[in-house]
Amino acid sequence: MSDNFAHALSGAGGGIISMVITYPLVAISSRLQAQKSNSSRKEENYKNTFDAFVRIINREGPKGLYSGFTSGIFGIAVTNGVYYYCYEAVKSFVTKQGQGPIAIAQSMISGTVAGAAVVIATHPIWTARILVQKRKLSSKSKRPTTLQVALYILKKEGITGLYFGWKAAMILVMNPIIQYAIFENLKTKLMTSKGGLSGSDFFLLGAFSKLCATIIMYPYILIKSQLQMSESTNERSMGVLDNMKLVFRNEGVAGLYSGLNSKLLQSVLSSAFLFYAKEILFDWSVWILVLLRARKSMQ
C-alpha cells in the first residue's frame, strides 16, 4: 500500500486537532459572515470578533462557542482525509510516482481533483451544518442537530437538497489550489536551502499559504456564506457573482472584505496547526498501518 492512506489519516487527525484548538474562532467567523443576511435584526449584529466573543459568552455561555462542534469535527476529518488521499494519489501520478519536486501546474491539477472529491463527499455535511447555524441566528427555540437537519432535507427535497449550492462550492476549490501551489513552491525552495524542514517550518508555511489564499478568495467566501444564510429569494436567485457585483457597487471593496480580520485569524491559525499536526502525525499513521498489516515496514 502507498503512503496515500497515511497522508489521509494524518490529514484527518491534523484537521481534528486544528479544529479543537480553533473552533471558537470558527463559530464566531461563521456568525460574523452570516449576520449581514439577518437584515431585520441589525441592531443585534456583532461589531467585531471580540464583541461577538463577549456577547456569545454572556448570552449562551461557553457552549455557545462550540455550537455544531460534533458535526464540525466529523466534517473536517472527512474533508481532510478525502483531500489528502486524493491529493497525494494524483500528485504521485503526475510527478511519476513522486519522483522530484512538484511543479505549480502539477500541484494545481492535484488540488483540483482532490477539491472536487471533497465537495462530492462532504457537501451534504456542510449544507446541514450551515442550516443549523441559520436556525440559531433566527430562532430562540431548541436547535436541531446536524443529522436531524440532514435527514429532514433528504426526506423533503431528496439528495439534491443536500447538494444545494454545490456549483459555488466547486469554485471554492480554488482556495486550497492556491494554498497548496504556494505551499509546495515555498516548501521546495526551503528544502533546497535548508536540506530539511522542521515542524515550525510547516506551521509557518501553512499559515502563510492560507493567508494568501484567503485574501484572494475572501469576497467569494463571504458572499457565498451570506447567500446560504439568506432568506431573500431575490438574493439567492441572483447567485454569488451577481451579488458580489451588487455589494461592490453599493459598498466598494470594503464591503467585499467585511469581517476579513476574524476570518484571517481563524483560517490562518487553523491551517498552521493543521500542517504542523499533520507532519507530526504522519509517522504515527505509517506505524499504525504497519501494525494493521495494511502497509509494509519501511525498514
Side-chain angles (χ1 to χ4, degrees), residues 1 3 23 38 75-77 79 82 110-111 113 115 155 175 185 189 197 199 202 212 217-218 220 225 251-252 270 286:
M1 182 183 290
D3 283 340
Y23 193 81
N38 192 26
I76 203 66
T79 294
V82 172
S110 302
V113 175
K155 181 179 179 180
N175 193 304
N185 185 261
K189 291 181 178 179
L197 298 180
F202 280 94
C212 296
M217 292 299 298
Y218 185 77
Y220 192 89
S225 297
E251 304 176 42
S270 295
V286 171

Side-chain angles (χ1 to χ4, degrees), residues 217-231:
M217 292 299 298
Y218 185 77
Y220 192 89
I221 295 171
L222 174 68
I223 302 301
K224 176 178 175 291
S225 297
Q226 291 177 353
L227 285 181
Q228 286 178 312
M229 301 288 284
S230 177
E231 297 180 356

Side-chain angles (χ1 to χ4, degrees), residues 5 55 75 102 107 114 135 160 165 174 206 221 250 255 260 268 295:
F5 278 104
R55 290 168 65 179
I102 185 171
S107 175
R135 178 68 178 270
T160 56
M174 284 300 300
I221 295 171
N250 294 334
L260 175 63
V268 170
R295 184 189 189 281

